[in-house]
Amino acid sequence: MSGVQFFPVKYRQRNALYEDKSKNHFFSMSEPFVNERMISSLLLMPLLVNTVQGLLNTPQIKAVQGDTKPRRINVTWMDDPSLVGEQLFYDIEIYNTGQKNPVHNDSVKIRPELAVKEWNWSWISPLPLECLQHSARLRVRHDNIVSNWTDLRNVTGPGLYYSSPVDEVKIYPVDDIVMAGSKKMFCCIIPNGKTLKESTYNRAEIKHLTSVGQTYIFELTMQASRAGGDDLVCTPNEGDGEGASVFVGYSPQVHNFTCETRNLVDFECSWRQGKDKNLSGIRATKYTLNGSPVESTGKEGTYRWTISINSNQGEVPWTLTARNDLSETSFVYTANPRHRVYLPAPQTLQASSVNSTNARLEWQWPDANLSSLPMKCEVLRLRHNSEEGMVRNATGINLHSVTLHDLHPYTSYLVRVRCAAAEHFWKWGNWSKEVSFQTKEDIPDDVDVWMSVDSNRNIFVVWKKLSVEKSHGNIIAYQLSWGGSQLTFSRTQHCYMGSRISAGNSINITASNSAGPSQPSTIMVPLHQADVETVRVSGSKGAVELSWAQRPAASCGYVVDWLPVNSQHKCDIKWKKIPAGHNSTRIESELKDGVRYTFSLYACTSSGPKLLQKWEGYGQEQVPNEAPRVHAVQDGPDVVVTLNMEILPENQKGFIQGYVLHYSLSSHKDMEQYKREKVWSDETTMQKRIRNLLADKYKFSISAFTSAGEGPAARFDIKLNSQTYQIIVYSTVSLGVIITLVLLTTLLCYQKRTWLKDKVYPDIPAPQLVFSDSKVMYNDQLLKLPAEHVECLMAFPMKINNVNLKVTNGVMHNVYSPLYGNVTDSQQSQAAADDLSPDVVASSFLFDNPTYNRHACVPELVDAPLETTEGYKPQLPIVSSHLDPCSASSYQDLDQCNPLQPSRDSHLESDDYIAVSVVGSPASVSSSQPLLGEPYKYGHGQHT
């Protein structure tokens, strides 16, 4: 319950109204002037009687009134005179028709010091009063004593007709204004005998309804409506429906509320309406400024109002009040008019005193009241066909002119001016209208000149056409001079090929317009340019980054020029000059995508440009525009693909980085079944082997790629044949080759069999012995041993060349073989003896031919060295032996120790015993020829 306030009144009565906004109820009272002491005395006795009985007197309801527009219920009652002066509580309940429980209840506290007999309480119902019959009752409480409830009293008032039924559909409330975001209760009353078929809000069906008899109640959450309101429609099951408009808006809102003056006489206030602008017409927000009504400016949501002021009155408050059917809001703006100056646009702006670099602007002000105002102005000048502008600031009192400096000669300008207060800057004023003018001509800037020398030593002199900014007027001609010669070129020409210009000459060039010639530009023709290596450079996004090492010789900087590779138009060369001290630059102008350029770096020296470095590259690489030429052959189970990408560099569109190969069986149509190989190679011609493919038909796709991607592909099919017949062919051919080689080798060996036999396995000749008919033997052919120490084995008769030979009988141990050492194996000797002819009856000697390894009599050697002839001297082991003195001083012939020595005159054919001299020289095991150069001598003959 809200607080209750009483207003004492003497000799008259006043109604005081109080509202509890949180509970939508109000409480008031009627207060006649009485003597409180007298009232207490007169009423004391009835109060004591009722207290003894335990019951208070029931209050008397005077009236229950309803006001349909605000949905307010007012309850008025009379208090019992016996309760005056006591602290009382009144309980109030509100009911609706058909409901047993109250829809609202309240309790009102009465202060005891007030002596009042009539009370008034009010409450705002959320439901329109027209929807249902409302009634009220109350009771009084004092301490723990409570009175009886009064009878229910129906609410009555204008527009409340509950007794008579409706004959058509009714909707309440009608044309109501509701705050956006709030909840609102509505009802539809349907005639008797009908029911509600459908209810919609903004064409959306309302689903949650409560019915009390023929009344249907529903609650909606309201959203901002259109300017003409939203529609609420109720349709019965029979007959036509009924509709009502609902206006949902906001409390008044004001944005950017400001006040300013444009002439120091009138103060103009402006603001912008907020979200409440959706309410229009009679429901629109109304404004007053300092109590004066404000009319709309015609622009929706924008308001502007002007009030006359005194500019020297200091700070002035301006109060703006905004009011609509929902609420009222006030806004206050306080400012000094001289601090809120918003100047209008200057008038009659014009340019005067214009020359090549300066111009003067003049204008007028529309109001004379601004003549004493300190101002600052800015001039925005725009060059013709340019969006960038320069601002020129100027200050002064009553400023009406400004001079522009540093203008470009022979240039068109667009200018405009705006100004503001200089002392208390508030905002810039409006721009004036644009005015155009053109400056006068001036001599041109220096011409940028360059030169290039081709392989035939032709000199191309090129220069850049002067732009509008540098020409300072219309160029009439260019003059080129060197070594006493001079040529004139039209303004459209920019290149000259000078075959007559020799190395070491200085070339000068000037440009002329109506103001005169420019300063000459000079370039020196170099004597010789050394070749340098060309390296690749990669560009990106149409630009190329170049860098180099600093060169002390570049006293006046560097020059980088570029030209498409193999270009035949040397006059199309471009160049860029770099100041000394820099070692990098970025070339990004006029580089076409997919075009290879040659970039050359020159050092600027006093003797002319000197070539330092060369590059080749693209501003932006593109995919190749040609497919590689392909040749494929089968090589066994492999396919060898030969690629040829030899195209002109200007058509490559980028550096070839490699090739992409796709292949699959021809029966496969899905690209995902392709096998893909990427070969990185910058060669224009190469081979690729695809190994171990099955015999089938294949389709291939090969394309070259650059950094920008893959180019068009060369496509071809190839069928691989089975390898079985090839294996048969290879085997047959191999076998035939082998047989042929064997036959040729056999035939050759057969034809050369004699020579081959002599070389590989020569015939072993039979031993041939030549005996001397003299007893004296050559010492170098005779093995000399002391006869007294020689023992011979029993000799067996044997034949040599049909000649019977006999040797001395006896035993000889350790017979020395000059070449092959000692033979002592008795078993071997016995085997050899068994091999002899049965005719052999005498003892045998071992001859010097090692192929006849018979039993030998091996003498024991003395420690003295063995005498040999000049020639081969074998390394013989020295064997110690005790020799009997067959001769005291020298060795004797072997036959001296043989007691069976035959006569010297005996012939070989006789059966006489003969002495065999064991002589010799080493002989090959495979040849009868001795290894020593001299012949063997046996007796009186010689054997070679």
Side-chain angles (χ1 to χ4, degrees):
M1 185 190 73
S2 62
V4 179
Q5 186 174 1
F6 299 94
F7 299 89
V9 181
K10 295 183 179 180
Y11 306 110
R12 62 189 178 88
Q13 177 177 304
R14 174 184 295 175
N15 290 331
L17 182 64
Y18 304 90
E19 177 181 1
D20 186 346
K21 295 184 181 180
S22 63
K23 295 185 178 181
N24 294 332
H25 61 77
F26 304 84
F27 178 70
S28 63
M29 57 188 172
S30 296
E31 180 187 0
F33 176 76
V34 294
N35 190 301
E36 294 181 2
R37 182 177 300 176
M38 181 177 61
I39 293 176
S40 299
S41 302
L42 293 175
L43 300 179
L44 180 60
M45 186 60 66
L47 178 61
L48 293 176
V49 173
N50 291 335
T51 301
V52 173
Q53 295 177 352
L55 185 64
L56 296 178
N57 293 330
T58 302
Q60 298 177 8
I61 298 178
K62 185 176 180 181
V64 179
Q65 297 291 328
D67 189 353
T68 57
K69 187 64 176 177
R71 307 184 307 279
R72 188 190 304 274
I73 296 176
N74 296 307
V75 180
T76 304
W77 69 94
M78 296 294 295
D79 208 356
D80 190 277
S82 61
L83 300 177
V84 175
E86 298 296 329
Q87 180 171 317
L88 304 175
F89 293 88
Y90 287 94
D91 297 326
I92 305 171
E93 291 181 345
I94 305 296
Y95 289 85
N96 287 339
T97 301
Q99 296 182 354
K100 297 181 180 180
N101 298 321
V103 295
H104 180 73
N105 56 67
D106 193 12
S107 181
V108 179
K109 180 182 178 181
I110 304 299
R111 296 201 305 266
E113 64 272 14
L114 297 179
V116 179
K117 294 195 304 182
E118 184 177 311
W119 306 96
N120 184 47
W121 174 89
S122 63
W123 170 67
I124 296 177
S125 172
L127 179 68
L129 301 182
E130 298 93 335
C131 295
L132 292 174
Q133 174 71 63
H134 289 70
S135 58
R137 70 176 184 175
L138 57 84
R139 68 181 179 181
V140 61
R141 289 184 290 113
H142 174 66
D143 293 338
N144 295 325
I145 304 174
V146 182
S147 70
N148 293 323
W149 287 101
T150 65
D151 296 332
L152 286 173
R153 187 81 172 266
N154 292 333
V155 177
T156 60
L160 299 178
Y161 308 103
Y162 302 111
S163 58
S164 58
V166 296
D167 55 358
E168 60 181 6
V169 178
K170 298 291 185 179
I171 299 177
Y172 298 103
V174 179
D175 297 338
D176 196 16
I177 299 178
V178 185
M179 182 74 71
S182 64
K183 291 185 177 182
K184 181 72 173 180
M185 296 185 71
F186 297 86
C187 71
C188 293
I189 303 177
I190 307 299
N192 290 335
K194 298 180 181 181
T195 59
L196 180 65
K197 176 182 178 182
E198 182 185 34
S199 60
T200 60
Y201 178 66
N202 274 344
R203 299 182 180 180
E205 183 180 359
I206 302 172
K207 297 182 178 181
H208 303 286
L209 298 94
T210 301
S211 63
V212 179
Q214 295 300 110
T215 302
Y216 294 85
I217 303 171
F218 49 89
E219 186 178 51
L220 300 176
T221 300
M222 311 310 296
Q223 303 294 330
S225 65
R226 297 164 295 178
D230 294 335
D231 296 329
L232 177 63
V233 179
C234 292
T235 305
N237 59 342
E238 296 179 4
D240 297 331
E242 183 67 19
S245 296
V246 181
F247 299 90
V248 184
Y250 298 90
S251 298
Q253 297 178 351
V254 173
H255 300 292
N256 301 332
F257 176 41
T258 57
C259 297
E260 57 197 9
T261 180
R262 314 207 71 173
N263 55 10
L264 299 179
V265 175
D266 299 323
F267 211 60
E268 185 178 80
C269 295
S270 62
W271 62 91
R272 185 170 54 85
Q273 188 177 8
K275 294 189 294 183
D276 57 311
K277 63 184 178 181
N278 69 316
L279 298 177
S280 60
I282 61 175
R283 299 171 188 85
T285 302
K286 305 298 188 296
Y287 299 92
T288 59
L289 183 61
N290 283 357
S292 300
V294 176
E295 297 180 2
S296 174
T297 59
K299 186 177 180 181
E300 182 181 0
T302 302
Y303 294 84
R304 187 178 298 276
W305 200 248
T306 302
I307 300 176
S308 299
I309 60 167
N310 180 1
S311 61
N312 297 320
Q313 64 184 0
E315 288 191 354
V316 179
W318 283 268
T319 302
L320 175 66
T321 302
R323 179 187 298 106
N324 63 14
D325 292 338
L326 294 175
S327 65
E328 177 181 311
T329 308
S330 295
F331 303 90
V332 179
Y333 187 85
T334 303
N336 187 331
R338 297 188 69 88
H339 297 176
R340 297 294 183 268
V341 178
Y342 178 38
L343 292 177
Q347 304 294 318
T348 64
L349 178 65
Q350 61 180 355
S352 61
S353 304
V354 179
N355 55 37
S356 61
T357 57
N358 300 323
R360 178 181 175 84
L361 297 180
E362 298 177 349
W363 63 89
Q364 301 293 329
W365 291 108
D367 199 311
N369 294 320
L370 301 176
S371 59
S372 61
L373 181 67
M375 302 178 183
K376 63 177 181 180
C377 299
E378 65 177 10
V379 179
L380 177 64
R381 69 173 189 262
L382 298 173
R383 298 174 63 177
H384 184 62
N385 295 331
S386 175
E387 295 181 356
E388 297 183 359
M390 298 292 294
V391 176
R392 167 75 166 88
N393 292 325
T395 58
I397 297 177
N398 192 22
L399 195 63
H400 59 275
S401 65
V402 65
T403 300
L404 303 179
H405 301 281
D406 301 326
L407 302 179
H408 289 274
Y410 199 67
T411 303
S412 296
Y413 287 93
L414 290 175
V415 295
R416 54 181 178 172
V417 181
R418 66 178 179 179
C419 300
E423 292 182 347
H424 304 284
F425 179 81
W426 167 239
K427 63 171 66 173
W428 284 109
N430 298 113
W431 285 106
S432 67
K433 293 182 179 180
E434 288 185 339
V435 174
S436 63
F437 65 91
Q438 186 179 41
T439 54
K440 299 183 180 301
E441 290 191 7
D442 199 357
I443 61 173
D445 288 347
D446 299 346
V447 180
D448 190 358
V449 63
W450 183 238
M451 57 158 292
S452 177
V453 182
D454 64 6
S455 59
N456 297 324
R457 294 297 297 172
N458 292 321
I459 298 176
F460 292 83
V461 181
V462 290
W463 58 90
K464 292 181 180 179
K465 298 177 182 179
L466 292 177
S467 62
V468 176
E469 293 81 3
K470 295 183 178 181
S471 63
H472 300 168
N474 291 319
I475 297 298
I476 300 174
Y478 294 95
Q479 291 84 29
L480 193 68
S481 62
W482 72 93
S485 300
Q486 184 172 348
L487 296 175
T488 300
F489 300 90
S490 67
R491 62 182 182 180
T492 60
Q493 293 178 288
H494 68 284
C495 181
Y496 170 70
M497 188 189 76
S499 58
R500 296 178 298 169
I501 304 177
S502 59
N505 284 339
S506 295
I507 302 174
N508 298 321
I509 185 171
T510 59
S512 301
N513 61 12
S514 61
S518 66
Q519 294 295 322
S521 299
T522 304
I523 188 170
M524 181 76 69
V525 180
L527 297 176
H528 176 69
Q529 294 288 8
D531 292 335
V532 296
E533 182 182 1
T534 302
V535 297
R536 287 185 176 182
V537 62
S538 298
S540 177
K541 298 180 180 179
V544 174
E545 299 281 352
L546 302 177
S547 61
W548 57 89
Q550 288 283 5
R551 303 297 177 90
S555 57
C556 52
Y558 302 90
V559 177
V560 175
D561 66 18
W562 59 94
L563 188 69
V565 174
N566 299 329
S567 174
Q568 302 301 321
H569 305 284
K570 295 295 183 180
C571 291
D572 294 337
I573 193 170
K574 310 296 180 183
W575 68 94
K576 180 180 181 180
K577 295 182 178 180
I578 297 97
H582 293 71
N583 64 341
S584 64
T585 187
R586 178 182 175 88
I587 308 298
E588 56 185 347
S589 61
E590 302 179 6
L591 293 183
K592 297 180 180 180
D593 294 347
V595 177
R596 184 185 296 188
Y597 289 88
T598 298
F599 302 90
S600 302
L601 174 68
Y602 295 85
C604 178
T605 66
S606 58
S607 59
K610 179 180 179 182
L611 181 62
L612 300 178
Q613 194 169 345
K614 279 188 175 183
W615 298 271
E616 276 192 3
Y618 297 83
Q620 178 66 55
E621 293 192 27
Q622 295 180 337
V623 298
N625 59 356
E626 294 185 16
R629 292 180 291 278
V630 181
H631 177 69
V633 295
Q634 179 180 359
D635 185 10
D638 304 340
V639 173
V640 178
V641 180
T642 302
L643 305 175
N644 190 336
M645 199 66 182
E646 292 182 353
I647 60 178
L648 295 176
E650 54 267 28
N651 295 331
Q652 283 189 4
K653 303 299 182 181
F655 293 117
I656 301 298
Q657 297 184 354
Y659 303 88
V660 178
L661 172 66
H662 296 85
Y663 63 94
S664 73
L665 294 174
S666 297
S667 58
H668 292 168
K669 297 182 179 180
D670 190 358
M671 288 298 294
E672 294 182 356
Q673 298 180 356
Y674 273 72
K675 292 185 178 180
R676 184 176 187 270
E677 293 189 21
K678 196 169 188 178
V679 182
W680 293 89
S681 174
D682 58 356
E683 300 293 335
T684 57
T685 303
M686 64 167 293
Q687 280 190 345
K688 173 64 179 176
R689 179 180 291 270
I690 298 93
R691 300 181 180 275
N692 302 324
L693 298 179
L694 299 178
D696 207 331
K697 188 175 181 181
Y698 292 85
K699 51 186 176 182
F700 286 79
S701 172
I702 302 177
S703 60
F705 67 89
T706 64
S707 63
E710 299 179 21
R715 305 179 187 276
F716 62 93
D717 295 340
I718 186 171
K719 183 178 181 180
L720 300 186
N721 299 319
S722 175
Q723 302 301 305
T724 304
Y725 80 96
Q726 293 185 1
I727 295 175
I728 296 175
V729 171
Y730 291 158
S731 301
T732 303
V733 172
S734 300
L735 185 58
V737 171
I738 294 173
I739 293 174
T740 302
L741 291 177
V742 170
L743 291 176
L744 291 176
T745 303
T746 304
L747 180 61
L748 182 62
C749 291
Y750 179 76
Q751 291 178 350
K752 299 293 183 178
R753 62 185 180 278
T754 303
W755 174 83
L756 187 63
K757 183 176 180 298
D758 291 340
K759 292 297 182 181
V760 177
Y761 191 78
D763 293 336
I764 300 175
Q768 295 181 3
L769 300 178
V770 180
F771 298 94
S772 177
D773 52 359
S774 175
K775 189 177 182 178
V776 180
M777 305 290 290
Y778 290 98
N779 292 335
D780 56 351
Q781 295 179 351
L782 182 63
L783 177 63
K784 296 181 178 181
L785 294 174
E788 60 274 17
H789 290 89
V790 175
E791 296 180 0
C792 296
L793 298 173
M794 290 301 295
F796 298 93
M798 66 178 179
K799 284 184 179 182
I800 300 177
N801 293 337
N802 298 322
V803 178
N804 294 324
L805 299 179
K806 294 182 180 180
V807 295
T808 305
N809 187 19
V811 178
M812 182 172 59
H813 301 283
N814 298 328
V815 177
Y816 177 74
S817 176
L819 294 176
Y820 302 98
N822 297 328
V823 179
T824 59
D825 191 343
S826 60
Q827 295 180 357
Q828 187 178 8
S829 299
Q830 183 63 36
D834 294 339
D835 293 335
L836 293 175
S837 174
D839 297 335
V840 178
V841 295
S843 301
S844 63
F845 283 93
L846 180 64
F847 297 98
D848 60 351
N849 194 330
T851 59
Y852 292 88
N853 192 11
R854 306 302 185 187
H855 286 281
C857 296
V858 183
E860 294 180 2
L861 299 182
V862 296
D863 295 335
L866 190 66
E867 295 182 5
T868 62
T869 60
E870 297 296 331
Y872 175 72
K873 299 179 181 180
Q875 301 295 325
L876 303 177
I878 300 174
V879 181
S880 179
S881 177
H882 296 285
L883 301 177
D884 294 336
C886 181
S887 176
S889 59
S890 63
Y891 295 117
Q892 298 180 3
D893 292 337
L894 183 60
D895 57 357
Q896 295 180 2
C897 298
N898 189 355
L900 301 179
Q901 181 178 355
S903 172
R904 291 188 181 95
D905 298 331
S906 299
H907 298 283
L908 292 174
E909 291 80 2
S910 66
D911 296 333
D912 297 335
Y913 297 99
I914 62 174
V916 180
S917 298
V918 183
V919 298
S921 175
S924 171
V925 295
S926 62
S927 176
S928 61
Q929 299 298 323
L931 297 178
L932 299 179
E934 296 182 358
Y936 293 149
K937 298 178 182 180
Y938 300 93
H940 299 284
Q942 293 183 349
H943 174 69
T944 59

